[in-house]
Amino acid sequence: MRPTTRDVLTREVTDWHQQGLIGRPLLDTLLLRYERQGRFLAALLKWLGLFAIFQLGLAVLAFIAMMAESALLAALLLGGVGVGLWWFGARLATDPRQLHPFTGAALVTASLAAVFGAFVLLHIALGGEPEGQAIPTIMLLTGVLAALMAYRYHLRWPLLLALLLFFHGLGAWHAYGGHGAYFAHIQDERLMALAALAAVALGLWHERWLETGPLRRCAGFGGLYLIFGLLYLNLSLWFLTLFGKPLAWVLVFTAVGIGQIVIGARLRDARFTGFGIVFLAIDLYTRFFEHFWDQLSAGAFFLVAGALAMALGYGFERQAYGDRQP
């Protein structure tokens, strides 16, 4: 069996398991048959090699631009690299023999990252400041370009980058705060929640209708829309409940978490169920933290939280498996 065929079968059975179509025992049986020995190590080494080459190339370009002290020169160099990566990656990705499909997708995605950097440098070279709405606008424009590439070459990696750029261009950002602390922020949680809900609806429509019809070669695109939509929908609603926000948002967040569990059970879709359970647990922990952190010592707080988690886990497990005979 060709290595590319083994890779396709491995990805498909893994997707089936993640969607709840097959159980873990069947997944393990199929992976033993189709997964190549040492596949993970070989893939890791390949990605590390690509990353090292890309970073070394960028370091050389940055050194040249610094010596010339020209942002315009740096933009032109990085843009040239982006075009070269796109040309070479597109050839590998569209090769009928599919000898290097993952490498081609990675190079196309890296070309988009280079284009984003070139746009930023060009904006600086023209006298602009990397503040305000300039960077979000460039992120959205690059996201549109990435989405077009994804549909043109039927690649999921550029679509993943497009969704990241789209949501972060709308106003989601994170930063390192020092001392091992990270900060996340969404500029307008209500707008982000609406955009994420639209992404969820688009993902379902894409997956259940488009990918079974005119966009059969774009299999998996709907899943990306769905996962990103659920992630940012839950994050937006969670942020709306923090720091003394109105009780109405707490009720909405809780209702959405329960609703996802119900929808997941109805559609037999583990993605809805998984996000619902995780963020409902986060909701309960957040409420517990808000009401009892100041009333209890740290040790007592974590002891009670752990005991409650174990009790809930035992109850759910007994509800699911209690009627089965050994």
Side-chain angles (χ1 to χ4, degrees), residues 30 65 70 84 92 123 131 158 193 195 214 226-227 245 250 257 295-296 316:
L30 293 174
S70 172
L92 292 178
H123 173 72
E131 298 175 353
L226 186 62
I227 290 172
K245 296 292 178 64
V250 177
Q295 281 72 28
L296 299 173
F316 292 144

PDB file of all heavy atoms in Angstrom, residues 30 65 70 84 92 123 131 158 193 195 214 226-227 245 250 257 295-296 316:
ATOM      1  N   LEU A  30      -7.989  -0.297  13.558  1.00  0.00           N
ATOM      2  CA  LEU A  30      -7.722   0.237  12.224  1.00  0.00           C
ATOM      3  C   LEU A  30      -6.366   0.911  12.144  1.00  0.00           C
ATOM      4  O   LEU A  30      -5.674   0.806  11.126  1.00  0.00           O
ATOM      5  CB  LEU A  30      -8.832   1.216  11.833  1.00  0.00           C
ATOM      6  CG  LEU A  30     -10.213   0.594  11.626  1.00  0.00           C
ATOM      7  CD1 LEU A  30     -11.253   1.677  11.392  1.00  0.00           C
ATOM      8  CD2 LEU A  30     -10.199  -0.384  10.463  1.00  0.00           C
ATOM      9  N   ALA A  65      18.075  43.231   5.581  1.00  0.00           N
ATOM     10  CA  ALA A  65      17.269  44.429   5.732  1.00  0.00           C
ATOM     11  C   ALA A  65      17.809  45.339   6.829  1.00  0.00           C
ATOM     12  O   ALA A  65      17.794  46.571   6.705  1.00  0.00           O
ATOM     13  CB  ALA A  65      15.821  44.042   6.041  1.00  0.00           C
ATOM     14  N   SER A  70      16.279  49.473   5.738  1.00  0.00           N
ATOM     15  CA  SER A  70      15.173  49.820   4.849  1.00  0.00           C
ATOM     16  C   SER A  70      14.020  48.851   5.062  1.00  0.00           C
ATOM     17  O   SER A  70      14.161  47.651   4.799  1.00  0.00           O
ATOM     18  CB  SER A  70      15.624  49.789   3.387  1.00  0.00           C
ATOM     19  OG  SER A  70      14.528  49.939   2.520  1.00  0.00           O
ATOM     20  N   GLY A  84       7.775  32.794  -3.831  1.00  0.00           N
ATOM     21  CA  GLY A  84       8.513  31.562  -4.113  1.00  0.00           C
ATOM     22  C   GLY A  84       7.950  30.366  -3.365  1.00  0.00           C
ATOM     23  O   GLY A  84       7.798  29.280  -3.934  1.00  0.00           O
ATOM     24  N   LEU A  92       3.668  21.263  -5.405  1.00  0.00           N
ATOM     25  CA  LEU A  92       3.661  20.020  -4.628  1.00  0.00           C
ATOM     26  C   LEU A  92       2.239  19.621  -4.227  1.00  0.00           C
ATOM     27  O   LEU A  92       1.880  18.442  -4.238  1.00  0.00           O
ATOM     28  CB  LEU A  92       4.529  20.185  -3.375  1.00  0.00           C
ATOM     29  CG  LEU A  92       6.033  20.340  -3.587  1.00  0.00           C
ATOM     30  CD1 LEU A  92       6.737  20.531  -2.247  1.00  0.00           C
ATOM     31  CD2 LEU A  92       6.611  19.140  -4.324  1.00  0.00           C
ATOM     32  N   HIS A 123       3.493  48.626   4.908  1.00  0.00           N
ATOM     33  CA  HIS A 123       2.734  49.681   5.602  1.00  0.00           C
ATOM     34  C   HIS A 123       3.674  50.586   6.404  1.00  0.00           C
ATOM     35  O   HIS A 123       3.531  51.818   6.382  1.00  0.00           O
ATOM     36  CB  HIS A 123       1.700  49.025   6.528  1.00  0.00           C
ATOM     37  CG  HIS A 123       0.989  49.987   7.416  1.00  0.00           C
ATOM     38  ND1 HIS A 123       0.047  50.881   6.954  1.00  0.00           N
ATOM     39  CD2 HIS A 123       1.089  50.211   8.764  1.00  0.00           C
ATOM     40  CE1 HIS A 123      -0.401  51.609   7.959  1.00  0.00           C
ATOM     41  NE2 HIS A 123       0.203  51.218   9.064  1.00  0.00           N
ATOM     42  N   GLU A 131      -0.156  50.370  14.546  1.00  0.00           N
ATOM     43  CA  GLU A 131      -1.118  50.509  15.627  1.00  0.00           C
ATOM     44  C   GLU A 131      -2.491  50.781  15.023  1.00  0.00           C
ATOM     45  O   GLU A 131      -2.647  50.926  13.810  1.00  0.00           O
ATOM     46  CB  GLU A 131      -0.711  51.666  16.568  1.00  0.00           C
ATOM     47  CG  GLU A 131       0.630  51.458  17.254  1.00  0.00           C
ATOM     48  CD  GLU A 131       1.043  52.679  18.070  1.00  0.00           C
ATOM     49  OE1 GLU A 131       0.346  53.702  17.986  1.00  0.00           O
ATOM     50  OE2 GLU A 131       2.073  52.603  18.759  1.00  0.00           O
ATOM     51  N   PRO A 158      -4.302  26.299   4.802  1.00  0.00           N
ATOM     52  CA  PRO A 158      -4.557  27.728   4.587  1.00  0.00           C
ATOM     53  C   PRO A 158      -5.893  28.187   5.164  1.00  0.00           C
ATOM     54  O   PRO A 158      -6.010  29.332   5.635  1.00  0.00           O
ATOM     55  CB  PRO A 158      -4.537  27.861   3.060  1.00  0.00           C
ATOM     56  CG  PRO A 158      -3.711  26.712   2.593  1.00  0.00           C
ATOM     57  CD  PRO A 158      -4.012  25.601   3.536  1.00  0.00           C
ATOM     58  N   ALA A 193     -19.165  36.817  19.390  1.00  0.00           N
ATOM     59  CA  ALA A 193     -20.097  35.705  19.580  1.00  0.00           C
ATOM     60  C   ALA A 193     -21.005  35.543  18.366  1.00  0.00           C
ATOM     61  O   ALA A 193     -21.276  34.413  17.917  1.00  0.00           O
ATOM     62  CB  ALA A 193     -20.922  35.925  20.845  1.00  0.00           C
ATOM     63  N   ALA A 195     -20.310  36.496  15.236  1.00  0.00           N
ATOM     64  CA  ALA A 195     -19.480  35.989  14.141  1.00  0.00           C
ATOM     65  C   ALA A 195     -19.190  34.501  14.321  1.00  0.00           C
ATOM     66  O   ALA A 195     -19.216  33.726  13.353  1.00  0.00           O
ATOM     67  CB  ALA A 195     -18.181  36.783  14.066  1.00  0.00           C
ATOM     68  N   PRO A 214     -21.264  19.955  -4.449  1.00  0.00           N
ATOM     69  CA  PRO A 214     -20.306  20.634  -5.337  1.00  0.00           C
ATOM     70  C   PRO A 214     -18.895  20.779  -4.779  1.00  0.00           C
ATOM     71  O   PRO A 214     -17.961  21.004  -5.549  1.00  0.00           O
ATOM     72  CB  PRO A 214     -20.951  22.019  -5.543  1.00  0.00           C
ATOM     73  CG  PRO A 214     -21.823  22.214  -4.346  1.00  0.00           C
ATOM     74  CD  PRO A 214     -22.327  20.861  -3.988  1.00  0.00           C
ATOM     75  N   LEU A 226     -16.674  24.810  12.025  1.00  0.00           N
ATOM     76  CA  LEU A 226     -17.449  24.431  13.204  1.00  0.00           C
ATOM     77  C   LEU A 226     -16.613  24.519  14.477  1.00  0.00           C
ATOM     78  O   LEU A 226     -17.053  25.079  15.490  1.00  0.00           O
ATOM     79  CB  LEU A 226     -17.982  23.011  13.018  1.00  0.00           C
ATOM     80  CG  LEU A 226     -18.931  22.478  14.085  1.00  0.00           C
ATOM     81  CD1 LEU A 226     -20.191  23.317  14.146  1.00  0.00           C
ATOM     82  CD2 LEU A 226     -19.280  21.026  13.800  1.00  0.00           C
ATOM     83  N   ILE A 227     -15.404  23.993  14.456  1.00  0.00           N
ATOM     84  CA  ILE A 227     -14.561  23.976  15.648  1.00  0.00           C
ATOM     85  C   ILE A 227     -14.158  25.389  16.060  1.00  0.00           C
ATOM     86  O   ILE A 227     -14.247  25.769  17.240  1.00  0.00           O
ATOM     87  CB  ILE A 227     -13.325  23.088  15.398  1.00  0.00           C
ATOM     88  CG1 ILE A 227     -13.740  21.617  15.318  1.00  0.00           C
ATOM     89  CG2 ILE A 227     -12.292  23.285  16.504  1.00  0.00           C
ATOM     90  CD1 ILE A 227     -12.643  20.682  14.901  1.00  0.00           C
ATOM     91  N   LYS A 245     -19.964  40.751  35.700  1.00  0.00           N
ATOM     92  CA  LYS A 245     -20.915  41.078  34.633  1.00  0.00           C
ATOM     93  C   LYS A 245     -22.331  40.662  35.049  1.00  0.00           C
ATOM     94  O   LYS A 245     -22.513  39.883  35.991  1.00  0.00           O
ATOM     95  CB  LYS A 245     -20.502  40.362  33.350  1.00  0.00           C
ATOM     96  CG  LYS A 245     -19.165  40.817  32.793  1.00  0.00           C
ATOM     97  CD  LYS A 245     -19.237  42.243  32.292  1.00  0.00           C
ATOM     98  CE  LYS A 245     -17.874  42.712  31.767  1.00  0.00           C
ATOM     99  NZ  LYS A 245     -17.419  41.979  30.617  1.00  0.00           N
ATOM    100  N   VAL A 250     -24.445  35.112  32.549  1.00  0.00           N
ATOM    101  CA  VAL A 250     -24.160  33.813  33.164  1.00  0.00           C
ATOM    102  C   VAL A 250     -25.208  32.794  32.750  1.00  0.00           C
ATOM    103  O   VAL A 250     -24.896  31.643  32.405  1.00  0.00           O
ATOM    104  CB  VAL A 250     -24.110  33.949  34.702  1.00  0.00           C
ATOM    105  CG1 VAL A 250     -23.895  32.578  35.347  1.00  0.00           C
ATOM    106  CG2 VAL A 250     -23.012  34.913  35.129  1.00  0.00           C
ATOM    107  N   GLY A 257     -24.031  26.224  26.913  1.00  0.00           N
ATOM    108  CA  GLY A 257     -23.284  25.004  27.199  1.00  0.00           C
ATOM    109  C   GLY A 257     -24.185  23.784  27.233  1.00  0.00           C
ATOM    110  O   GLY A 257     -23.870  22.740  26.635  1.00  0.00           O
ATOM    111  N   GLN A 295     -13.964  33.199  50.627  1.00  0.00           N
ATOM    112  CA  GLN A 295     -14.528  32.667  51.862  1.00  0.00           C
ATOM    113  C   GLN A 295     -13.763  31.461  52.395  1.00  0.00           C
ATOM    114  O   GLN A 295     -13.912  31.107  53.567  1.00  0.00           O
ATOM    115  CB  GLN A 295     -15.998  32.250  51.639  1.00  0.00           C
ATOM    116  CG  GLN A 295     -16.980  33.411  51.645  1.00  0.00           C
ATOM    117  CD  GLN A 295     -16.876  34.261  50.406  1.00  0.00           C
ATOM    118  OE1 GLN A 295     -16.492  33.763  49.357  1.00  0.00           O
ATOM    119  NE2 GLN A 295     -17.204  35.548  50.510  1.00  0.00           N
ATOM    120  N   LEU A 296     -12.965  30.814  51.537  1.00  0.00           N
ATOM    121  CA  LEU A 296     -12.242  29.611  51.949  1.00  0.00           C
ATOM    122  C   LEU A 296     -10.746  29.817  51.771  1.00  0.00           C
ATOM    123  O   LEU A 296     -10.302  30.652  50.979  1.00  0.00           O
ATOM    124  CB  LEU A 296     -12.685  28.406  51.103  1.00  0.00           C
ATOM    125  CG  LEU A 296     -14.159  27.999  51.180  1.00  0.00           C
ATOM    126  CD1 LEU A 296     -14.439  26.909  50.162  1.00  0.00           C
ATOM    127  CD2 LEU A 296     -14.524  27.521  52.580  1.00  0.00           C
ATOM    128  N   PHE A 316     -21.984  10.823  36.696  1.00  0.00           N
ATOM    129  CA  PHE A 316     -22.192  10.704  35.250  1.00  0.00           C
ATOM    130  C   PHE A 316     -21.798   9.321  34.753  1.00  0.00           C
ATOM    131  O   PHE A 316     -22.469   8.735  33.891  1.00  0.00           O
ATOM    132  CB  PHE A 316     -21.376  11.768  34.516  1.00  0.00           C
ATOM    133  CG  PHE A 316     -21.862  13.173  34.759  1.00  0.00           C
ATOM    134  CD1 PHE A 316     -20.971  14.235  34.849  1.00  0.00           C
ATOM    135  CD2 PHE A 316     -23.210  13.436  34.917  1.00  0.00           C
ATOM    136  CE1 PHE A 316     -21.417  15.523  35.071  1.00  0.00           C
ATOM    137  CE2 PHE A 316     -23.674  14.721  35.140  1.00  0.00           C
ATOM    138  CZ  PHE A 316     -22.771  15.770  35.224  1.00  0.00           C
TER     139      PHE A 316
END
